[in-house]
Amino acid sequence: MGKIKYLFWDLWYKYKEWRFERKCIKHLGIKPTTVYVTKEQYDALVEIINRPPDPKVQESIRKLLERKSHWDE
């Protein structure tokens, strides 16, 4: 039973990857790329993502979103 279950999941994930690849090619015209990083690079990326945003950038985004759109005038 274990081998059949493994075979099913293996085929399922290969199918999901194939569908994702086909959608990327259809809509973007390119194949998705796989990027491999070291543990140190991954930890650095997670640290950057988890940093609080810069207050100046937050303020500029707030001002941008408060402006009226040209089609709303």
Side-chain angles (χ1 to χ4, degrees), residues 25-41:
I25 292 171
K26 178 181 177 185
H27 297 292
L28 304 174
I30 57 171
K31 277 186 160 185
T33 57
T34 302
V35 178
Y36 297 98
V37 296
T38 64
K39 181 171 176 15
E40 293 81 21
Q41 291 171 328

Side-chain angles (χ1 to χ4, degrees), residues 6-71:
Y6 171 76
L7 176 65
F8 170 77
W9 285 114
D10 187 48
L11 289 173
W12 175 253
Y13 283 110
K14 284 180 182 175
Y15 171 71
K16 296 287 274 186
E17 289 172 8
W18 177 83
R19 280 193 59 199
F20 177 71
E21 185 177 297
R22 299 307 307 158
K23 284 181 182 180
C24 289
I25 292 171
K26 178 181 177 185
H27 297 292
L28 304 174
I30 57 171
K31 277 186 160 185
T33 57
T34 302
V35 178
Y36 297 98
V37 296
T38 64
K39 181 171 176 15
E40 293 81 21
Q41 291 171 328
Y42 177 78
D43 292 339
L45 179 63
V46 169
E47 181 184 327
I48 291 170
I49 291 171
N50 289 332
R51 277 188 206 154
D54 184 16
K56 291 179 184 176
V57 173
Q58 279 185 318
E59 183 63 25
S60 65
I61 292 174
R62 188 184 62 75
K63 286 180 182 178
L64 177 68
L65 293 175
E66 286 179 348
R67 287 193 305 186
K68 219 174 185 185
S69 301
H70 66 277
W71 57 81

